[in-house]
Amino acid sequence: MKKSVLVLILGIGLIGFGAWQNQMGKAADTSGREQGSGSSTVLPTETGPQVGKLAPSFSLTSTNGTTFQVGGKQEKPIFINFWASWCDPCQAEAPDLVKLYAKYKDRMEMLSVNVTSYDSENKAKAFVEKYGLVNPVLMDEKGKAFKLYNGIAFPTNVLVDKNGVIRELFVGLRPPKDLEEAIEKLIEE
């Protein structure tokens, strides 16, 4: 009896502590902006595949031979889509990404990163042709970029602001409306 009461009290205490931590996290400013100083921007110092941290840097070559660099300040925000040709959710998402790229290509860079270490270059190119991807398609032949972002599933979509800070991280298929809302929010920053 005493043991179960102790476990109950301990459980209530842990729940209370978790709720307190959650409230403190919500109260903290995670926008990356310095409070009370107007337009100054304070960038995070940590790099990692998490919202609010600097996006891990990588450089990959596209199917047309152009090299793209991700990481640090950029002219436009970046939408990074990690995918594989055999992935059913990636196939379902592809037509929506084509539409989103057409709509936002002037205000955002969209990079489709084929994780070729889990795929093949020929199948990736067939996928690109089948779904009509016209945005830059990069080949992550050794899977290093995907590993930098702790990739665990396809598709994985990452939205990075102009300062190189991750603003959204979506693992798995999301409704196009959710992606578009996140893009709109990113572009408005």
Side-chain angles (χ1 to χ4, degrees):
M1 181 73 169
K2 289 180 184 180
K3 191 174 189 179
S4 51
V5 170
L6 182 61
V7 169
L8 179 63
I9 291 171
L10 182 60
I12 291 171
L14 288 174
I15 290 170
F17 181 73
W20 176 79
Q21 274 191 314
N22 189 29
Q23 282 303 106
M24 293 305 292
K26 286 181 183 175
D29 178 16
T30 58
S31 67
R33 309 245 185 266
E34 192 176 79
Q35 292 187 19
S37 67
S39 63
S40 295
T41 301
V42 176
L43 297 177
T45 55
E46 277 188 71
T47 300
Q50 296 175 356
V51 172
K53 290 188 178 181
L54 291 171
S57 296
F58 66 86
S59 179
L60 291 173
T61 304
S62 70
T63 53
N64 72 4
T66 305
T67 300
F68 287 84
Q69 176 69 39
V70 171
K73 289 192 177 209
Q74 306 280 332
E75 287 182 34
K76 298 189 263 186
I78 303 173
F79 181 110
I80 307 166
N81 168 248
F82 291 100
W83 61 279
S85 65
W86 48 263
C87 160
D88 289 338
C90 300
Q91 294 167 18
E93 178 182 66
D96 297 321
L97 294 182
V98 170
K99 291 175 190 170
L100 289 171
Y101 178 70
K103 185 171 181 177
Y104 295 103
K105 67 183 176 185
D106 295 330
R107 298 184 285 160
M108 176 187 72
E109 186 73 66
M110 181 183 280
L111 304 175
S112 293
V113 179
N114 175 261
V115 186
T116 321
S117 60
Y118 290 102
D119 206 346
S120 78
E121 191 171 335
N122 290 337
K123 289 179 181 178
K125 287 180 179 179
F127 181 99
V128 168
E129 188 174 319
K130 178 179 180 179
Y131 292 103
L133 299 180
V134 293
N135 62 295
V137 176
L138 314 180
M139 307 305 276
D140 188 8
E141 294 174 358
K142 296 183 180 179
K144 289 182 179 181
F146 192 54
K147 285 179 187 171
L148 282 174
Y149 285 78
N150 289 342
I152 58 168
F154 298 115
T156 294
N157 294 310
V158 184
L159 280 75
V160 181
D161 70 15
K162 291 184 211 180
N163 291 313
V165 178
I166 296 174
R167 293 296 174 202
E168 295 286 345
L169 181 64
F170 298 112
V171 177
L173 187 62
R174 292 291 193 275
K177 182 183 98 169
D178 291 357
L179 292 176
E180 189 160 13
E181 285 175 5
I183 289 168
E184 286 284 343
K185 183 178 173 186
L186 180 69
I187 290 172
E188 290 172 5
E189 287 186 349

